[in-house]
Amino acid sequence: MSENYKCFSHRECEYYPCHKGADPENFNCLFCYCPFYLLGDRCGGNFTYTESGLKNCTNCLYPHKKENYDKIVKRYGEIQAAMAENGHHEKQ
């Protein structure tokens, strides 16, 4: 079975690749907005906080590496729990 669904590279995007130093041959745009962002310091990525307290993920390539797809999907339960903690509820 093909695993093409695990990676998408939007090479026509004016920001591609959007992270400095990224390997364009191993860059996954599928998680353009990182699903771990709302996990704060529990995300596991290479992030910093700005002086104003915002999370800065400029140096993090974790969600953009093809090989991390399965690791990201395995943490969706944790993401769902964090959303519930933050007052976001799934519509039934």
Side-chain angles (χ1 to χ4, degrees), residues 33-49 53-57 60 62-63 71-86 88:
Y33 178 81
C34 182
F36 295 151
Y37 185 86
L38 68 101
L39 297 178
D41 60 0
R42 300 175 313 200
C43 74
N46 182 23
F47 68 94
T48 59
Y49 285 106
L54 295 175
K55 190 173 175 184
N56 178 354
C57 303
C60 183
Y62 188 86
K71 296 172 190 171
I72 292 169
V73 172
K74 283 181 182 179
R75 291 185 68 190
Y76 267 33
E78 185 180 348
I79 294 165
Q80 185 179 13
M83 289 177 67
E85 288 172 18
N86 292 327
H88 301 285

Side-chain angles (χ1 to χ4, degrees), residues 9-82:
S9 294
H10 184 25
R11 294 176 185 267
E12 300 301 317
C13 177
E14 59 270 25
Y15 302 107
Y16 185 83
C18 59
H19 290 267
K20 187 178 180 180
D23 176 4
E25 298 306 314
N26 183 27
F27 195 84
N28 188 358
C29 298
L30 188 61
F31 301 109
C32 179
Y33 178 81
C34 182
F36 295 151
Y37 185 86
L38 68 101
L39 297 178
D41 60 0
R42 300 175 313 200
C43 74
N46 182 23
F47 68 94
T48 59
Y49 285 106
T50 65
E51 287 182 21
S52 62
L54 295 175
K55 190 173 175 184
N56 178 354
C57 303
T58 304
N59 295 318
C60 183
L61 293 171
Y62 188 86
H64 300 296
K65 291 185 178 181
K66 295 176 184 179
E67 64 269 16
N68 289 336
Y69 175 88
D70 290 325
K71 296 172 190 171
I72 292 169
V73 172
K74 283 181 182 179
R75 291 185 68 190
Y76 267 33
E78 185 180 348
I79 294 165
Q80 185 179 13

